[in-house]
Amino acid sequence: MNPVRWGVLGAAKFAREHMAPAIHAAEGAELAALATSDPSKAAGFVAFCPGLKVHASYEALLQDPGIDAVYIPLPNHMHVEWTLKALAAGKHVLTEKPIAMRAREIDQIIAARDRTGLLAAEAYMIVHHPQWQRAKAWLEAGEIGTLMHVDAAFSFNLTEGGNIRNRPETGGGSLRDIGVYTFGSARFVTSAEPVDLSARIHREGGVDVFAQVAGIMEGPGGRFTYGSMTSMRMYNRQVVTFQGTNGMIRLEGGPFNANVNDLAEVELHQNGNRVTVERFATANHYKLQVETFGRTVREGTAYPCPLEFVRGTQVMMDRVYEVAVEI
């Protein structure tokens, strides 16, 4: 079966360091083209993919008949526009998170996906990682009893003023950048949705650099309490805990940046001081994401993170902004 031929829309640093190499390495995928108006920015991509075709504009790449799918790592505020343009051009599309700034914007992407019959997805890579799949399987198997509480934290210290995460006009802020992880991971593992939320936010330069969220979520196993913290002004920290009546599942060290900040592993703590630890030293969730995307495109298999799931996380995000108290 022919590989999915990918084009990358924009020479973003993240694309150069993570996603483009993942596409290049993935089975059933071929990194075929890049769109950038700055030839010097293409050099880092061509270094590991010498046969890469470089287009001088985004439009030219979308018009390339040799491209099947497009990866979009553009600034947040440009995601909806170029996702819709890619679908209109007949390309499958994988767009960086958040795919939209508001939940209602995702509706038009869903409509375009359904109208064209193409695959459109947000690059929510963690659901493709075996550590998160294991956490979900343990919870659903009742390994920790009745779920009572979930808490999540994700922080890093970003002081670079010109970075798009620090700019309100490009959709910056800790919630849009990393809140999708603390919110989405809880929703993925528990299949639950929030029924009550409160939040406290601190802003600098027009973007939230700290957010603390608390609430109640409800899923197949009943109701449980939820808490999360995100910050772009704190030392690196990533941890998610699912606490039940008879045990606890914990992902710590690098659950969102697996094998970057620390070794990817998930722990199961149970009564009698029993601890089970599973480590995933070689799993690359970016590569796994590309391969899963490709199977859906080529074989029609169900995609594990459809836009409907993505919309649910954005609904939660929208609600947090609505109820947040400034501190």
Side-chain angles (χ1 to χ4, degrees), residues 129-139 249 266 278 280:
H129 198 288
Q131 66 177 338
W132 287 102
Q133 295 164 1
R134 176 65 72 208
K136 184 176 180 65
W138 276 341
L139 182 71
I249 299 167
V266 57
E278 292 202 22
F280 306 90

Side-chain angles (χ1 to χ4, degrees), residues 5-12 14-16 19-21 23 31-36 45 48 52-53 55 57-58 61 67 69-74:
R5 289 173 54 84
W6 286 83
V8 178
L9 219 61
F14 180 81
R16 185 183 72 245
M19 275 303 297
I23 294 170
L31 180 60
L34 169 72
T36 177
F45 293 81
F48 64 84
L52 192 69
K53 184 177 182 180
H55 290 284
S57 69
Y58 302 156
L61 188 148
I67 297 301
V70 174
Y71 167 64
I72 300 177
L74 299 172

Side-chain angles (χ1 to χ4, degrees), residues 150-166:
V150 176
D151 60 78
F154 192 174
S155 63
F156 62 96
N157 193 5
L158 179 67
T159 56
E160 179 189 346
N163 191 288
I164 60 174
R165 295 171 180 83
N166 283 324

Side-chain angles (χ1 to χ4, degrees), residues 99-118:
I99 199 170
M101 304 288 283
R102 295 286 182 181
R104 64 176 179 270
E105 296 177 324
I106 301 176
D107 293 336
Q108 58 187 314
I109 302 176
I110 291 174
R113 176 203 66 187
D114 294 345
R115 184 172 59 252
T116 61
L118 298 164

Side-chain angles (χ1 to χ4, degrees), residues 179-230:
V180 291
Y181 294 115
T182 54
F183 296 173
S185 62
R187 293 183 59 247
F188 173 71
V189 172
T190 67
S191 299
E193 301 293 348
V195 295
D196 181 69
L197 290 170
S198 63
R200 292 174 174 81
I201 290 179
H202 175 67
R203 298 180 191 268
E204 293 178 7
V207 300
D208 60 278
V209 298
F210 170 84
Q212 184 182 49
V213 178
I216 299 171
M217 299 182 71
E218 185 171 20
R223 290 192 170 193
F224 57 90
T225 55
Y226 170 82
S228 77
M229 182 279 291
T230 60

